[in-house]
Structure formats: structure tokens, C-alpha cells
Amino acid sequence: MTILRASTTMLVALAMCVAAAGAAGAQTLSIADTSVSVTQARDQWTITLGYKITASSATTATLAATLTGPSSVSVGDMGVNMPPYTITRDIAAGTNWYYRDFFINLPRTATVGTYSVNYTVKWGTSSSVSANAAKSFQIISSLDTRCPILMYHKIGNALYSQYWNTTDMLRRQMAILKAYGYTSISCRELMSARAGLTQLPAKPVMITFDGGYENFYTDALPIISGFGFKPVMFLLTGVMGQDNSWDGDNNPVIMFMTWQEVVACYGSYNNQKIDLQSHSVTHPDFTTASTSTRNYELTHSRELIRSYFPDDPVDFFCYPYGSYNNTVQDACRSNYYCAAFAAGGGIETNCWYKWALKRIPIYWDVITDWDSSKQSSFFLNKIGEGFTVPSITVNSVQFLDAATGNPLPNNELKWGQTVKVRVVATNASATDVGVSLTLDNDSNTGNGVMYDSHACNPAEDVMASSWSGQRTFEWLWTPPVDAPTSQYVVGLYFNDKYYTIRWSSALYTAFTVKSDTAGLATAKTLGDGTYATFRQAAVTAAWPDCFYIELDSRATGLRVERPGHGIPAGSRVDVAGQLVTKASGERCLLAGYAAPNGYAAVSPVALNNRAVGGSALGLQSGVAGACGVNNIGLLVRVWGRVKSLDTINRVMVIDDGSGVDLKCAWSNGVVIDPEWTHVTLTGISSCERIGGQLSRLVLIVSAQGGK
């Protein structure tokens, strides 16, 4: 920065020496020279002024200054910290330089141009010396600073007047701001960027609240802070802890925050302090209030806030009722405020006029989903965010059996059966669209739905990037065993790519869900392709791709295949799916749905080798040389002498003297000692097809042995 100094000869000619009587005798002090640290500056800059002072003896002096600009506008002394702002220095005898900061806070009538600095030094009780018009510099235009400034009042669970937003509305609005890349800023950050001192984020936003209602603390702040934003709170300092019965919008009557709650707001939520500023003490109309009332409201509101937060300047004001005129604006400046906020006006596109910064009222009619008949109330329009509305036509919606790809027979879907919903749609404009789907047995999505692609973890939405023309979208859904058996409705939703805005939606009549609840005892008598549901079946064994269930009576058991099922042995399960016969000859359920539902402890059935497998039951074939009832699928216990043991293929053959050698296989987690000569094994009675016949097979789950 350039330091400008006038010639000593000129300043000496201007200097006025003043003698003051004091305890130490006559005191002489003069300004020998001056300096200013800049050749140009902007509003809200802090510049440095220099005073070269000659003193006959040591003293203490106040360094004062004013600026005089175009049309003789005077800019008084103001500190960026807090009024009253006086700069005192200990002055040594002799000639020395002394410096002070000067914060430029332009009044309403100030313009850009040349400003001269008027230097004054005061000491003692009445002595002073001045050096007028000694230095000058240019004040240049503030930078264009675009920032949507949102205005809120009350947040709750209902809309009582235009000043209310529901918590869901606020959450949707904050989600949009976050998704579209906005960063919240404080009042000081806005002014510093306007002055060119700092750079704002790419998309700044100010989230302001008027009043200090308690629902800001209980409802609004947790939501706002949860999205990483820091709001601005304009406090009505004289009503903290009181109700709003005096307020014109007092149905219902609600409380203002207590000061303890304000303190909690200030330092909570990941150290994201709120920006506390003034909204006056008692909310009078400043345009009709007396001068003394205005000054009291402006100064005392700041003092109250600073009594709790002494490090906060509190140098921004929000007009009560949004009401102001020239006198009110001038009062803000004369009471050391740096800017003031109106209660409307739209988007602040440049922040040129700081004594009535525009705000965007976020009232109860603001919408976050697109409605062409309410474009002026659309949130993206409110904040000035550009967007393209997709033009989508749904060509067809089909409901297919996922296993066959054919339409559902009779348009009916069974528990455990998987449906493929296929949607063909056309977009006439190239846009990014997130497509989501819901399924439910009524058209009221507000009471919950059976399936929501966006609520799945991970989400099962379909993202169509730069979608233009015709596309096909597909979803899979398997109704759980508690799905209502009735007519279903499919909801189709076209959203922005962040899933924060819904461009359009439609409901379509879908399929009818039917139940096929069957007793496990009849499972082996039902034909292949039959859908069946079994509730609270006991799980006796489990592997990563399948598990076995059986009746508590141990009369019958069944293999259930569902890769990645996560169902543990010892639990109960609700399961639904399609019955089939595997190539091995074993009947099983291909489960489309499985969910744990309690706990069970089933003891194994003790069988000799010959009894394992058993004879035919329904469509479950018996094993070769069958003896006794069918027990394929049951948890059994067998024992015998080890005839052979293959640790590589994890297979052993045992002989219990019944005349039948029994093949047993194990998998990871089962410990088999190759030195064992006799074993007792617990496992599942299964089968395998060898040479066209079913042979006995036990799937080991635990083993004991000896030598």
C-alpha cells in the first residue's frame, strides 16, 4: 500500500499549537505530518492513519479523524469492534509517528469519489489540534455481490399463518440448498466480500430468522445444522423467555427462546455458531417511533446481546415490520450498525445498497415440487437457481413375472413371487432425471408404502443422465408375507438428479397380491411352480446359499434356497417362494422372501443308516432301498464306524451295522479329525441322484469322534 505524506512545510503552516496548563506545567503539542495507508478503498475497509506529533512533554492523547467526501458528506469515526470507539495513545516528548485504524462505514448519502481525511488530536480536558484536508484517497465502488437472503420466522408441525413453515418444508428446502451446492454465510462475510476483502463460496446463501422464537431452538436449528448450515438470528432482545401474545401473529401463542436457549444455540451443533444480530428490543415501528426510542432500541438491543456474547460486534440490524425510511436508515448508521435488512425485495443481486438489503420471504406457500401453476412459489425460482423442467410422457407400464418375463397370470402376484415393473417413458428435453417407484395397496403415500425404491438401502432408483427420447426403466419387488392381499397401486416419480425436487408423478393400477399360506406338512405334496408361504418355521441348519426349516413336531423338513439370506440356525423364519424339485431329487423352496421371526431349538431325530432318507412322500421321491417314513430335510443324528474319509473333498462313509453305508459331507466350520475311527454326526437328511436313483446323504453340521 502507498503511504502519502504532505510536506512538513505545508503542515507546519497549518498546524496550530495549543498550550494547556497541567500539573507538570505548560504542554505544547502539534501535528507535524500525517499519512494514510491507501490511495483507494471501499466501504467496510479498515485503513491506517498516521499522525506525526511533536509534544513538549509526555502526555496521553486521543487520535480522532473524519472523512469528507463528494457533496460534503461527512463520514464519522467508527470502529469495527464496538462503539464507543476512541483511540488513545501515550505520547512521548519530541517528534514521533503514531498510528490508528479507521473503519470506513459509509452512510446512506455517501457516494464514490475523493475523500479527504481530517486529523484531530485531543489531550487534556479541552485542548485539541487539527490538520484538515491534509490527505485524500479514492473510495471506489463495492463489488457486485449476489446472495439470496432467505427470511424465516416460525417453524413447527402445522401452518398457522403465512409466517410458518413446517419442519418437513424446512428440511426439504435445506436439502435442496445442500444438493445444489449452496454454502451459508454470515452478515460480516457478506459485507467483507462486498468490500473485496474476502471471496464468497461459489453459491452463497444467508438463512435468516426474525424474532428468536423457541421453535427455532427446538425445531429449526437441528435441521439447519444437520445440513451443515449456519443461520443468522435477528433477536428481539426484550422478549426473551416471554410469549408472543403481543404479536399480531399470535394464534397459537408461542414462546420466545430464553437466554439460556440462545446460549445453547450459539455453541451447539458441531461448533457451528449462529450469527446473532439485532431486531430491536421490543419490535416498534421505527418510522413512527421517536428519536430517543429508536436510539434506545438500536443501542440497548446490542448491549443485551453483548452482555451474553461479549466477543460479538452485533453490527447488523433487521427492521421491525420491515419498516424503514431515510431517518431510520440514518439512525442505524449513527448507532454504529454496518448494514440493515429489509423484509422483502427478492434476490439480492449486487448488495449495492446496504441499508435495505433485500430478503426473500419463505412463507407457507413456498413449494419444493414443481407445479406449473405456482411457478412464483417454487423454491428454486425463489432463490434464483436455474433449472430445466423435463417434459415426460409415460408410454406404458407392465407387470411381469421376473422368473419368466411374461405378464403376471391374471395380473396376480403371490407372496414370495418377484414382479418386474417395466416402465417405458419419453422425455422431450435433455435433462438428468432420477426415477423412483412406490408400491402400496392404496393411493395414499402419506401413510407409508410397501415399497419405495428411494428408501431402500442402497436406493433402487434409476438415474437417467441427459435423458432425451424413449427409455425403459425396471424395478423388482417381492411382496413380504405381511403384504396386504388386495389391489395395489404403483406410484411413478420423476425427480431432479439429487432426488430433492419432484418434477412430475403419476399413479397406476397395478396387480393384486394373493397369499398362498401352506402348512409345512403339505410342502412336499404341492406341485412344482406352486408358490407357498410358511410362517415361524424353525431353522435347523444354515449355509450361505440355503437353510433348512422343519416343523416343531419334527414330522417334516424342507430345504430353502436364498443366497445371502442371513438367517441363522436356531431362529424362526417367515418365508415365501416357489416350490421346485432340484436336479438332486430334493424338493426345495426358492425363496423370494425370508425374514427372521423369533427363536427355536429343535433336537435332531436319531436314525440308523438304513432309515435315513425314507420312502416317498407326495412329490418327494424316496431313496433307493428306503426304510421307514420320508425324512429328507429333517435334522438327524447318525453314528458309526468310519469306513473311508476324504479330507480334500470333505466326504466320509460310515457303517453302523444296519447293512447300509451312509455318505456324509461337510463344509467350512465343521471340524473333522482324520484320525477318528468312530463318529457321531448331527446334520440334515438329504439326497443325491446317482445313476438315476436317489441315494442317502447327510449334510454334517457338527461332529464328535474317537479313536
Side-chain angles (χ1 to χ4, degrees):
M1 292 183 290
T2 304
I3 305 295
L4 302 181
R5 291 190 173 90
S7 68
T8 302
T9 302
M10 179 184 71
L11 286 168
V12 169
L14 291 172
M16 177 175 63
C17 298
V18 179
Q27 171 72 54
T28 302
L29 188 148
S30 64
I31 300 176
D33 200 356
T34 60
S35 68
V36 60
S37 61
V38 296
T39 57
Q40 61 180 24
R42 291 189 176 95
D43 180 42
Q44 304 293 293
W45 278 32
T46 299
I47 62 176
T48 301
L49 303 180
Y51 300 68
K52 189 175 184 180
I53 298 173
T54 300
S56 60
S57 61
T59 187
T60 299
T62 298
L63 308 184
T66 58
L67 307 180
T68 302
S71 302
S72 299
V73 169
S74 179
V75 180
D77 197 1
M78 176 175 171
V80 72
N81 290 324
M82 277 310 302
Y85 191 71
T86 57
I87 298 294
T88 59
R89 293 288 185 269
D90 291 332
I91 306 299
T95 301
N96 298 280
W97 278 98
Y98 302 90
Y99 298 93
R100 59 150 295 176
D101 289 339
F102 186 98
F103 180 70
I104 302 172
N105 187 31
L106 295 181
R108 174 180 58 86
T109 55
T111 61
V112 298
T114 301
Y115 282 73
S116 60
V117 185
N118 310 306
Y119 300 80
T120 302
V121 178
K122 301 178 181 180
W123 74 98
T125 58
S126 60
S127 302
S128 66
V129 63
S130 299
N132 296 320
K135 293 293 181 293
S136 64
F137 64 96
Q138 294 290 314
I139 290 185
I140 59 177
S141 298
S142 297
L143 298 180
D144 287 355
T145 306
R146 184 190 186 281
C147 180
I149 305 173
L150 312 185
M151 181 184 74
Y152 293 91
H153 287 82
K154 302 166 184 176
I155 305 296
N157 58 7
L159 298 175
Y160 300 103
S161 74
Q162 68 172 353
Y163 298 105
W164 286 81
N165 277 255
T166 66
T167 52
D168 183 61
M169 291 170 66
L170 180 66
R171 188 175 292 106
R172 290 282 304 276
Q173 293 157 11
M174 295 302 105
I176 290 172
L177 292 176
K178 188 71 172 180
Y180 281 77
Y182 284 85
T183 302
S184 63
I185 63 171
S186 66
C187 297
R188 173 48 56 195
E189 287 170 327
L190 180 66
M191 286 295 101
S192 294
R194 176 180 177 270
L197 299 172
T198 59
Q199 186 172 357
L200 289 180
K203 287 186 173 182
V205 65
M206 287 184 67
I207 304 167
T208 70
F209 278 77
D210 291 3
Y213 296 99
E214 191 173 43
N215 53 43
F216 171 80
Y217 172 64
T218 57
D219 297 324
L221 187 57
I223 294 172
I224 297 168
S225 299
F227 285 95
F229 296 132
K230 180 174 71 174
V232 178
M233 170 53 71
F234 293 109
L235 281 178
L236 274 174
T237 60
V239 297
M240 295 293 97
Q242 302 177 25
D243 67 39
N244 74 327
S245 55
W246 56 269
D247 186 356
D249 183 46
N250 59 8
N251 186 16
V253 172
I254 58 176
M255 299 298 293
F256 286 90
M257 288 186 287
T258 64
W259 281 108
Q260 289 75 18
E261 288 171 331
V262 175
V263 170
C265 288
Y266 189 83
S268 61
Y269 302 103
N270 301 319
N271 296 319
Q272 289 278 344
K273 293 182 179 180
I274 62 176
D275 184 11
L276 288 174
Q277 303 295 342
S278 173
H279 193 33
S280 79
V281 179
T282 62
H283 206 267
D285 185 337
F286 271 38
T287 62
T288 58
S290 66
T291 299
S292 60
T293 296
R294 278 195 300 267
N295 291 338
Y296 170 81
E297 295 277 339
L298 288 164
T299 58
H300 193 58
S301 60
R302 170 192 284 127
E303 290 169 358
L304 272 173
I305 296 173
R306 295 199 74 230
S307 68
Y308 288 92
F309 309 101
D311 294 331
D312 276 18
V314 191
D315 45 8
F316 297 92
F317 189 72
C318 171
Y319 298 118
Y321 303 107
S323 183
Y324 61 90
N325 54 25
N326 290 346
T327 302
V328 173
Q329 295 173 77
D330 293 343
C332 288
R333 170 60 180 82
S334 63
N335 282 280
Y336 303 101
Y337 285 91
C338 294
F341 291 79
I347 300 171
E348 187 56 79
T349 57
N350 50 47
C351 294
W352 285 349
Y353 191 68
K354 67 174 185 175
W355 296 113
L357 290 167
K358 300 173 185 176
R359 290 196 293 170
I360 306 165
I362 306 299
Y363 289 150
W364 62 351
D365 61 343
V366 172
I367 58 175
T368 48
D369 291 333
W370 175 251
D371 184 337
S372 60
S373 67
K374 300 177 181 178
Q375 296 187 35
S376 62
S377 297
F378 185 46
F379 188 69
L380 285 189
N381 272 333
K382 287 283 187 182
I383 64 176
E385 178 70 31
F387 59 91
T388 300
V389 180
S391 178
I392 298 170
T393 301
V394 177
N395 306 113
S396 64
V397 180
Q398 294 178 289
F399 307 103
L400 310 175
D401 183 340
T404 64
N406 297 323
L408 292 174
N410 302 317
N411 206 31
E412 293 180 352
L413 182 67
K414 306 295 180 60
W415 285 347
Q417 182 182 8
T418 301
V419 63
K420 177 183 289 184
V421 181
R422 176 178 291 164
V423 175
V424 179
T426 302
N427 186 11
S429 57
T431 48
D432 294 336
V433 179
V435 189
S436 56
L437 185 93
T438 61
L439 289 165
D440 200 24
N441 65 325
D442 62 44
S443 58
N444 181 11
T445 58
N447 61 3
V449 295
M450 290 302 302
Y451 171 78
D452 183 346
S453 65
H454 192 62
C456 294
N457 187 17
E460 296 178 358
D461 305 315
V462 181
M463 174 56 65
S465 300
S466 301
W467 173 21
S468 178
Q470 189 177 94
R471 287 200 183 184
T472 299
F473 307 93
E474 293 181 340
W475 293 265
L476 299 176
W477 180 63
T478 304
V481 298
D482 60 352
T485 53
S486 59
Q487 179 71 55
Y488 274 62
V489 174
V490 60
L492 193 58
Y493 306 96
F494 299 99
N495 314 284
D496 68 337
K497 64 180 179 180
Y498 306 113
Y499 291 88
T500 58
I501 293 169
R502 183 168 295 165
W503 298 117
S504 62
S505 62
L507 298 176
Y508 300 89
T509 301
F511 40 76
T512 300
V513 170
K514 297 283 188 178
S515 66
D516 274 323
T517 302
L520 189 54
T522 64
K524 296 177 181 178
T525 66
L526 301 175
D528 285 353
T530 300
Y531 281 89
T533 299
F534 308 111
R535 293 181 180 273
Q536 288 197 306
V539 180
T540 55
W543 290 271
D545 60 344
C546 69
F547 57 91
Y548 279 80
I549 59 176
E550 66 179 65
L551 293 173
D552 288 357
S553 65
R554 303 186 294 178
T556 189
L558 184 68
R559 180 185 178 97
V560 178
E561 293 194 351
R562 183 171 173 81
H565 55 80
I567 305 294
S571 65
R572 293 189 182 276
V573 67
D574 292 335
V575 62
Q578 189 177 38
L579 289 164
V580 298
T581 302
K582 293 174 59 65
S584 65
E586 184 174 3
R587 294 278 286 170
C588 88
L589 183 77
L590 302 180
Y593 174 85
N597 186 7
Y599 301 93
V602 178
S603 300
V605 176
L607 298 176
N608 62 31
N609 289 1
R610 184 175 294 276
V612 171
S615 57
L617 174 62
L619 298 179
Q620 174 62 69
S621 301
V623 298
C627 176
V629 298
N630 187 277
N631 52 68
I632 293 176
L634 281 181
L635 183 68
V636 300
R637 178 165 292 154
V638 295
W639 56 89
R641 178 176 61 87
V642 178
K643 293 187 66 176
S644 65
L645 192 149
D646 181 351
T647 57
I648 295 177
N649 294 308
R650 297 178 179 176
V651 173
M652 71 169 67
V653 176
I654 64 173
D655 174 16
D656 68 347
S658 64
V660 173
D661 291 342
L662 181 62
K663 181 179 178 181
C664 305
W666 72 91
S667 58
N668 288 335
V670 177
V671 177
I672 301 293
D673 187 340
E675 300 297 322
W676 284 346
T677 59
H678 294 78
V679 293
T680 299
L681 307 174
T682 300
I684 296 296
S685 172
S686 183
C687 62
E688 60 180 348
R689 192 177 297 278
I690 300 176
Q693 292 184 327
L694 292 191
S695 298
R696 299 170 179 83
L697 175 66
V698 170
L699 304 177
I700 304 170
V701 296
S702 65
Q704 293 177 315
K707 302 177 183 179

